[in-house]
């Protein structure tokens, strides 16, 4: 059994909060989280944006 990572905890929190989508900029800092989104069962859908500000606007529907 492998050790749980911060990415595992984040996906668990998102499941608990019933988050359906995550809007974010995919960069080197969040690659472990993006990999977990692809591998995990019932992980929220990841919507990539061109930068952080656009991701925030997408998330609030602006």
């Amino acid at each position: 059994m492998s050790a749980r990572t911060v990415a595992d905890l984040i996906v668990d929190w998102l499941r608990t909060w019933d988050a359906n989508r995550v809007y974010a900029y995919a960069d080197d800092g969040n690659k472990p989280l993006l990999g977990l989104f692809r591998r995990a069962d019932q992980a929220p859908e990841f919507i990539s944006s061109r930068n952080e500000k656009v991701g925030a606007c997408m998330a609030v529907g602006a």
Side-chain angles (χ1 to χ4, degrees):
M1 184 171 118
S2 63
R4 290 180 49 85
T5 63
V6 172
D8 293 313
L9 294 174
I10 291 171
V11 169
D12 287 346
W13 290 332
L14 291 169
R15 285 183 191 142
T16 301
W17 298 332
D18 294 326
N20 297 325
R21 290 180 196 91
V22 173
Y23 300 89
Y25 176 66
D27 66 354
D28 291 338
N30 60 6
K31 280 188 180 178
L33 183 59
L34 298 178
L36 187 60
F37 278 157
R38 280 189 233 111
R39 292 188 309 271
D41 294 332
Q42 300 175 346
E45 178 184 11
F46 180 80
I47 309 295
S48 182
S49 65
R50 290 183 175 246
N51 62 44
E52 295 87 350
K53 294 174 188 172
V54 172
C57 289
M58 291 166 62
V60 298

